[in-house]
Amino acid sequence: MTRKTRIAIAGLGFGAEFIPIYQAHPAVELVALCQRTESKLEKVADHFGIAGRYTSFEAMVEDPSIDAIHINTPIPDHASQSVLALRAGKHVACTVPMASTLNDCVAIAQAAEDSGKNYMMMETVVYSREFLYVQHLRDEGLLGRIQFMRGSHFQNMAGWPSYWEGLPPMHYATHAVSPVLALLGKPAASVTCVGSGRISDELMARYGSPFAVESALVDVVDSDVKAEVSRALFATSHEYVESFDVFGSKASFRWAATEAGAHVLHVDDVPQPVEVPDFAAMLPEEIRPFTTSGVYSEENEHLSFIQGSGHGGSHPHLAHEFVSSIAEGRPARIDHLVAANWTSVGLLAHESASRGGEKIHIPAI
């Protein structure tokens, strides 16, 4: 029998959602949790019966019994913690984005190469039921030739931790970037971006970015297809939307205009509402229920669920892909190279907007 992968989770806000998934996964032993606030650590670990408990990430990575670490900590910690864990010989899964600078993306990629361990960026959209549905349409030839794509992510970050305040919209762009690049199966080559509107002086002072909205046009390697990506975080009134549209020669998929509305498939010139199916059958039976339920509920809410509706059932798919890549000795689908490209699109898009829309080449990492 293959030994189970021994996993630890760092960060127990959004990260708590993955605890019961890993506990139920037949190929995983969840052995430890890490949280800086000891009272929260004890409460969560007691609730789920987890023996391994750390308030120090640095101490946790030195534990020889841990094979892999799933990082769900604040964005500013992603790069340093990913590199530290990889250098300590751990496989790493990390919530988005990979990092906040190109240099940090390079550092993570180098650490993954040097260590020979798996790195996976846990991008939710490309495991959402909507993406899996459109991917199926693509694979069956029902879309025809993809002609154009659009990704959007509008979110009100009021009430979130202070490190979000004034964050350039494109620095957190992977939810909008990933579906368009993943459907083409190719990396981005360059990006042109413009900023629009203005946030308050108080918010702007945090990162020096004035833009309420950033909108980019992405060129794709070896493709004549372009993708448009739009992103907003502050001072823009709109219901939460994390969406993508795909325009094909035979059919086009349009995301619902409101969360309560219906997605639409345009076949030739005829629109028809579609009910996107769940794809739990792709998963081991033990974790299938988690495409529609989890830790967070109306009684026990987290901001990602209040605004994001549970990320389209993606969480067990992400966990399963990470675990499977380790067990099968192959790169994860969103490995260090893919993650670096998707993250770099946003980072360089903001740089482009800051330069008045200059076209910027995305370096290979």
Side-chain angles (χ1 to χ4, degrees):
M1 181 181 295
T2 303
R3 184 175 74 84
K4 292 184 177 183
T5 299
R6 295 169 63 86
I7 288 180
I9 295 177
L12 302 179
F14 171 55
E17 173 66 14
F18 289 88
I19 294 174
I21 298 173
Y22 285 129
Q23 286 186 314
H25 197 291
V28 171
E29 183 180 356
L30 182 59
V31 297
L33 302 178
C34 180
Q35 173 68 33
R36 286 177 295 184
T37 306
E38 187 171 7
S39 59
K40 183 173 183 178
L41 171 65
E42 298 298 333
K43 179 179 179 180
V44 175
D46 285 348
H47 179 79
F48 288 101
I50 308 296
R53 305 177 186 194
Y54 292 92
T55 56
S56 165
F57 186 88
E58 292 75 14
M60 184 174 69
V61 299
E62 296 302 321
D63 185 337
S65 71
I66 296 171
D67 301 316
I69 296 176
H70 184 167
I71 297 170
N72 297 280
T73 55
I75 290 174
D77 297 329
H78 289 181
S80 62
Q81 290 180 343
S82 293
V83 169
L84 185 65
L86 288 164
R87 297 285 184 201
K90 313 300 184 186
H91 301 285
V92 170
C94 185
T95 189
V96 297
M98 183 187 208
S100 300
T101 70
L102 286 183
N103 285 342
D104 281 343
C105 289
V106 171
I108 295 169
Q110 189 63 59
E113 295 281 352
D114 291 346
S115 68
K117 298 299 180 179
N118 281 19
Y119 172 91
M120 179 175 171
M121 185 173 74
M122 303 293 266
E123 172 50 59
T124 57
V125 175
V126 294
Y127 284 95
S128 67
R129 57 183 64 90
E130 289 85 359
F131 182 87
L132 296 174
Y133 171 69
V134 176
Q135 181 176 257
H136 168 75
L137 296 179
R138 180 204 65 187
D139 293 346
E140 294 298 312
L142 299 176
L143 294 175
R145 180 184 178 88
I146 294 177
Q147 305 286 28
F148 177 68
M149 289 184 288
R150 179 184 293 122
S152 298
H153 184 184
F154 282 68
Q155 183 174 8
N156 174 17
M157 300 306 295
W160 285 69
S162 60
Y163 65 83
W164 288 97
E165 294 173 356
L167 186 75
M170 283 293 178
H171 275 207
Y172 189 73
T174 61
H175 290 332
V177 170
S178 62
V180 298
L181 293 179
L183 283 169
L184 289 176
K186 297 178 179 180
S190 63
V191 63
T192 305
C193 185
V194 294
S196 181
R198 185 180 178 91
I199 59 177
S200 69
D201 290 344
E202 292 77 13
L203 286 173
M204 186 178 69
R206 178 70 171 80
Y207 291 95
S209 172
F211 305 124
V213 180
E214 291 180 322
S215 185
L217 190 65
V218 181
D219 293 310
V220 181
V221 172
D222 297 329
S223 176
D224 54 12
V225 179
K226 311 293 184 185
E228 176 188 300
V229 175
S230 297
R231 192 71 179 88
L233 287 167
F234 300 95
T236 305
S237 296
H238 199 282
E239 180 183 40
Y240 182 98
V241 62
E242 185 181 297
S243 66
F244 63 89
D245 300 320
V246 182
F247 297 81
S249 59
K250 294 181 180 179
S252 297
F253 175 82
R254 302 298 304 276
W255 197 278
T258 65
E259 189 170 343
H263 302 307
V264 177
L265 191 67
H266 297 256
V267 181
D268 294 324
D269 298 328
V270 181
Q272 55 191 49
V274 293
E275 185 173 343
V276 174
D278 193 48
F279 288 84
M282 297 172 61
L283 299 167
E285 185 175 357
E286 294 90 339
I287 64 171
R288 291 175 186 174
F290 296 107
T291 63
T292 54
S293 65
V295 171
Y296 294 106
S297 63
E298 291 183 3
E299 295 77 28
N300 180 29
E301 293 182 320
H302 185 263
L303 279 170
S304 65
F305 277 68
I306 297 169
Q307 294 187 344
S309 298
H311 295 136
S314 61
H315 301 156
H317 290 281
L318 286 165
H320 182 59
E321 168 61 16
F322 179 51
V323 172
S324 297
S325 72
I326 296 169
E328 296 166 12
R330 59 170 175 82
R333 181 184 176 198
I334 314 172
D335 67 5
H336 55 287
L337 299 178
V338 174
N341 185 261
W342 290 358
T343 301
S344 296
V345 171
L347 297 175
L348 292 177
H350 174 64
E351 186 173 331
S352 172
S354 299
R355 298 182 189 177
E358 177 182 331
K359 187 173 185 176
I360 299 180
H361 173 73
I362 297 170
I365 294 177

